[in-house]
Amino acid sequence: MSSFKRKAGIKTEVPVGSRPSPSSPSTFLTSTGIPSLDDILGGGLPLSCSALILAPDLHSAYGDLVRNYFLAQGLAVGHKLVLVDEDPLRVFEECMWTPPSFVFEEDRKELEADQQEEKIKIAWRYETMKQFRTTIDSNQASEDEYCRTFDLTCRVPRHIVDQALQSGQLNSVDLADEFGSERGHVHLVTKKIAAILQASRRPTRICVSSLGSSSWGDLSPQDVLFLLATLRGLLRQHPLSCAIVCLSPPVATDAWGGPGWTQKLGWAVDACITMKAFTGNPSLLSLFPAHHGLVQVSASPAPHTVLSPSDKLSTLRGLLASPSGAGGGENNLAFKCMRKRMIFETLHLDLEGGVGERRTTPAPNTWVNTINDADQKEGIKADPIVKIHLEEGGPGSVAVASRKKKKAVGFASGRPEISYEF
Amino acid sequence: MYPAADLLAVKKPVLITDQLAAPADFLVFRTVTTHLKENKQNRCIVLSTFNDVPRWKAIASKSALNVDQLIAAGLLKFVDILFHVQPGASTLRPLLDLVQTFANDTSATTSHLLVVFDAISTLEWLGFNTTEPGRLSRALSSFCRKSSASLLLRYHILDREVIDDTFSLLQQLAAYRVEVRPLSSGKSGAVSGEICIHLGPLHDETLTTIEPDKTFQYRLTDFSATFFTKGTGATVL
């Protein structure tokens, strides 16, 4: 009998509400509350990392929705929450919560449809192919306690909020009360957060809401970057904490911070995700009717590795390397907010490839503006000019058959006067 | 096959430029770990606005380096710039003093010092005087030349078409510039980005292992990167 004894592996205690990353055992991931967003981040938001959510659309609040998911998930798994907002109590009360029965109607119908499809005979060459899916299966995520299944139609019960406030689970940095005449001073916010982290012994979620809004006072781009950089340093000092920062929509664009502003933001945080809603662009809304906006991943967290787990493990991003070593390009991502939940998924054109018919002339409802020299001097005339001509010719005149106009095809969209007759 | 393996041997400033889509963290890690493994007496000081020590520990451990031991032995030092100077400061002279103190705090004659200045762009963005990062780079370059130390500068590029004053200064200081850039076709799982080495005005004519202006591609792994010639797919296929 061999005297060799295998060394027992050193087991690291896993913080509550988190799990080790598959790519790095020393990295602990925590859920954002949205399973598909967790997948994009590589399984979840790593503890000691910060994520920045950019939602530049002025007419929607998808960034606030992600914030609420983050807070609700932290509340459900027992994490300590720190919210920096003008009215923190209102935000806590508006968070979604788990429904009594967490099987969504849409998933139940999908399951029934899958069972029906299994009865369909599939050609042998396609039997091994997986079913086409645009997002990850949320039912699988709801089986464990890592990510709770929240329902947008359900609000967190009042007694849970009160209990969390009394126990100290919910903490807030109220921008309206804390600073008086120095409202929104970045240094005071970071000091307050540092003090809370110093006193905390359990996983802590920090949420900075609407950074750059009017409640923060007059912030410069340097102030925003300083807060992000300082927060990131604080998270590294307290490895059981993580943070999500949501910028105010006007601040999330290059128009506010100058050229390269969104890239500077990406360098100051661990993860940077932009959610570009279609609200302000009707053409995209008609092109992708099933989605509410595009998702762009500018930076992904890598707290203990060179390669980000998101690049390696994300199913939605699609950068997984095959066993042969040949990887694929990144998928286009989009998000949509349904009645009961929000999901991130891959973006594809419809079955017809986005174009339903071939056209050689503009559509009937298309308005083409032709600009000549006279119009350029006076400006574009908005009123249409209608001319009425009476047909000439008395009795006995031979009516000349009108020549049928030949079809003309224009090849340059910017110069409609250039056309070829067929 | 790392295309810039001998750059530090010439003991002249090396400039690394990167973009958000293709960060050059792996190059900095590789350079520092290689330098420290080359000789047990070699020393390194890293100036940054964000010193991710846990990440350094995890990555260096794969190269059989113990960061805690190196720090305790005085061979490795991480300097948090924001701890020593605040935005709005008129000068970054305290950082130069720190580097000089660290360089002089050794009795080993065979020690080769590597100075890594990884915060040039960040200091500009955080509100420091736009001329100060360039001045500090120039001062570090002069100090390293006098003390036969190596200098590694890192600069983030926002727009390749725009060359600002700081970037122009850094290009003049550096003997070599390692450009790390993303693929023009977007992200790929097989190729993480491209590397191209450009010769600076102070490059060493005797160094023949460098292939200037030749583009290599790299692919990141969990703790390192693999390099291959563009268009060959030697590592991919």
Side-chain angles (χ1 to χ4, degrees):
Chain A
M1 182 178 174
S2 172
S3 60
F4 175 76
K5 292 182 181 179
R6 179 179 297 178
K7 285 186 179 178
I10 301 174
K11 293 186 178 180
T12 309
E13 185 179 352
V14 179
V16 63
S18 64
R19 66 184 180 192
S21 171
S23 65
S24 173
S26 54
T27 304
F28 295 110
L29 306 175
T30 182
S31 175
T32 59
I34 306 173
S36 47
L37 181 57
D38 292 342
D39 177 89
I40 291 175
L41 293 173
L45 180 63
L47 292 178
S48 78
C49 288
S50 60
L52 179 65
I53 306 296
L54 302 178
D57 182 46
L58 296 173
H59 309 289
S60 59
Y62 294 114
D64 292 345
L65 196 57
V66 174
R67 172 203 66 192
N68 290 354
Y69 267 107
F70 183 70
L71 292 173
Q73 174 67 25
L75 188 62
V77 298
H79 288 172
K80 191 169 187 177
L81 302 181
V82 180
L83 175 62
V84 182
D85 190 77
E86 187 179 17
D87 190 358
L89 185 59
R90 178 189 59 83
V91 174
F92 286 135
E93 291 175 348
E94 288 181 351
C95 288
M96 62 289 292
W97 200 242
T98 54
S101 171
F102 52 79
V103 177
F104 288 118
E105 185 66 23
E106 297 94 350
D107 294 335
R108 186 182 65 80
K109 290 181 180 177
E110 190 176 346
L111 285 173
E112 290 178 357
D114 290 344
Q115 291 171 0
Q116 289 292 331
E117 286 180 5
E118 287 176 0
K119 301 177 183 176
I120 300 174
K121 187 176 180 181
I122 301 174
W124 64 270
R125 64 174 65 92
Y126 303 126
E127 283 179 349
T128 58
M129 291 179 63
K130 293 181 182 178
Q131 195 173 24
F132 180 71
R133 288 188 180 275
T134 57
T135 188
I136 63 171
D137 188 5
S138 60
N139 283 335
Q140 185 177 1
S142 63
E143 289 176 359
D144 54 18
E145 293 298 315
Y146 177 70
C147 179
R148 299 294 177 87
T149 305
F150 297 102
D151 188 342
L152 291 178
T153 60
C154 297
R155 288 287 176 266
V156 58
R158 179 70 199 194
H159 70 275
I160 293 182
V161 175
D162 293 337
Q163 186 179 356
L165 285 170
Q166 290 175 2
S167 64
Q169 184 184 3
L170 296 183
N171 298 269
S172 62
V173 179
D174 194 335
L175 294 175
D177 296 335
E178 284 287 332
F179 311 112
S181 59
E182 296 185 43
R183 291 178 59 178
H185 201 286
V186 167
H187 293 275
L188 293 177
V189 170
T190 54
K191 283 184 180 178
K192 184 79 174 179
I193 293 175
I196 295 175
L197 288 177
Q198 192 70 28
S200 176
R201 291 292 177 263
R202 58 177 170 174
T204 305
R205 295 183 175 220
I206 302 167
C207 186
V208 180
S209 177
S210 298
L211 177 61
S213 63
S214 57
S215 57
W216 285 82
D218 295 326
L219 285 188
S220 63
Q222 292 81 7
D223 293 332
V224 174
L225 290 175
F226 179 81
L227 185 142
L228 295 175
T230 308
L231 180 62
R232 194 178 175 192
L234 284 175
L235 294 176
R236 289 300 194 274
Q237 295 174 18
H238 303 275
L240 288 182
S241 56
C242 60
I244 275 189
V245 180
C246 299
L247 284 190
S248 177
V251 179
T253 60
D254 286 356
W256 184 83
W261 169 239
T262 52
Q263 293 188 58
K264 293 178 187 177
L265 291 171
W267 282 112
V269 292
D270 296 296
C272 182
I273 295 177
T274 305
M275 301 171 62
K276 296 181 182 177
F278 294 152
T279 315
N281 195 337
S283 61
L284 287 178
L285 197 59
S286 61
L287 195 60
F288 303 107
H291 299 94
H292 294 153
L294 297 176
V295 176
Q296 182 182 355
V297 182
S298 304
S300 52
H304 299 102
T305 55
V306 172
L307 178 65
S308 168
S310 173
D311 292 350
K312 183 181 176 183
L313 302 173
S314 174
T315 305
L316 293 178
R317 295 187 70 193
L319 291 171
L320 296 172
S322 64
S324 62
E330 188 174 11
N331 291 330
N332 295 315
L333 299 176
F335 67 91
K336 62 182 178 182
C337 185
M338 298 186 288
R339 190 172 66 90
K340 292 194 174 185
R341 59 177 177 164
M342 181 181 200
I343 62 173
F344 292 76
E345 59 183 18
T346 53
L347 179 67
H348 303 273
L349 295 176
D350 58 9
L351 293 176
E352 296 177 352
V355 179
E357 55 181 329
R358 176 177 175 273
R359 286 193 171 277
T360 57
T361 57
N365 57 349
T366 301
W367 180 67
V368 179
N369 181 25
T370 58
I371 302 176
N372 52 29
D373 291 339
D375 288 341
Q376 281 182 345
K377 292 178 182 177
E378 299 178 8
I380 300 173
K381 294 182 181 178
D383 299 329
I385 301 175
V386 180
K387 294 183 179 178
I388 302 175
H389 297 274
L390 296 175
E391 290 183 1
E392 295 181 359
S397 62
V398 177
V400 177
S402 62
R403 185 180 178 184
K404 187 176 181 180
K405 187 178 179 182
K406 293 183 179 178
K407 288 186 180 179
V409 177
F411 285 89
S413 61
R415 301 183 64 181
E417 66 276 10
I418 299 178
S419 63
Y420 297 86
E421 293 183 352
F422 290 87
Chain B
M1 185 237 338
Y2 179 43
D6 298 332
L7 284 185
L8 291 185
V10 299
K11 297 185 180 180
K12 291 187 177 181
V14 176
L15 172 65
I16 296 177
T17 60
D18 59 357
Q19 301 178 34
L20 182 61
D25 297 353
F26 68 99
L27 270 189
V28 177
F29 292 138
R30 184 192 180 99
T31 305
V32 172
T33 54
T34 304
H35 173 76
L36 292 174
K37 287 182 67 177
E38 190 179 27
N39 187 336
K40 290 186 178 180
Q41 298 297 324
N42 284 352
R43 308 171 74 221
C44 178
I45 180 169
V46 180
L47 304 174
S48 177
T49 54
F50 174 66
N51 284 312
D52 199 353
V53 178
R55 194 181 186 198
W56 277 95
K57 288 181 184 178
I59 296 172
S61 65
K62 299 301 178 183
S63 301
L65 289 175
N66 190 319
V67 170
D68 291 330
Q69 289 181 359
L70 292 172
I71 293 175
L75 298 177
L76 180 61
K77 184 179 177 69
F78 294 101
V79 175
D80 185 356
I81 294 179
L82 295 181
F83 182 77
H84 297 278
V85 290
Q86 289 293 315
S90 59
T91 179
L92 295 176
R93 183 54 195 252
L95 301 177
L96 179 63
D97 296 336
L98 276 173
V99 173
Q100 290 173 339
T101 305
F102 180 79
N104 296 330
D105 188 22
T106 178
S107 57
T109 56
T110 58
S111 169
H112 177 199
L113 175 65
L114 169 63
V115 179
V116 179
F117 187 19
D118 189 10
I120 303 174
S121 312
T122 317
L123 291 177
E124 290 183 338
W125 302 340
L126 287 178
F128 285 87
N129 190 341
T130 53
T131 59
E132 284 303 311
R135 287 178 180 171
L136 178 60
S137 303
R138 194 167 54 207
L140 288 173
S141 174
S142 174
F143 170 75
C144 290
R145 185 171 59 248
K146 291 176 184 176
S147 56
S148 297
S150 298
L151 176 62
L152 187 66
L153 305 169
R154 184 179 173 190
Y155 189 73
H156 304 316
I157 289 182
L158 301 176
D159 186 354
R160 290 185 64 193
E161 304 298 326
V162 176
I163 300 178
D164 54 18
D165 295 337
T166 305
F167 187 34
S168 297
L169 173 63
L170 294 175
Q171 283 186 308
Q172 295 171 21
L173 289 176
Y176 302 92
R177 176 187 155 212
V178 182
E179 181 186 10
V180 180
R181 56 180 183 240
L183 296 177
S184 57
S185 55
K187 276 250 182 189
S188 168
V191 179
S192 302
E194 296 179 337
I195 288 182
C196 188
I197 301 175
H198 306 282
L199 300 180
L202 302 176
H203 72 277
D204 194 336
E205 298 286 347
T206 60
L207 190 63
T208 57
T209 56
I210 302 297
E211 298 181 69
D213 299 323
K214 182 177 179 180
T215 303
F216 293 85
Q217 291 180 335
Y218 68 92
R219 180 183 177 188
L220 294 178
T221 59
D222 282 339
F223 299 100
S224 63
T226 55
F227 303 89
F228 46 93
T229 310
K230 183 178 180 181
T232 59
T235 305
V236 175
L237 300 178

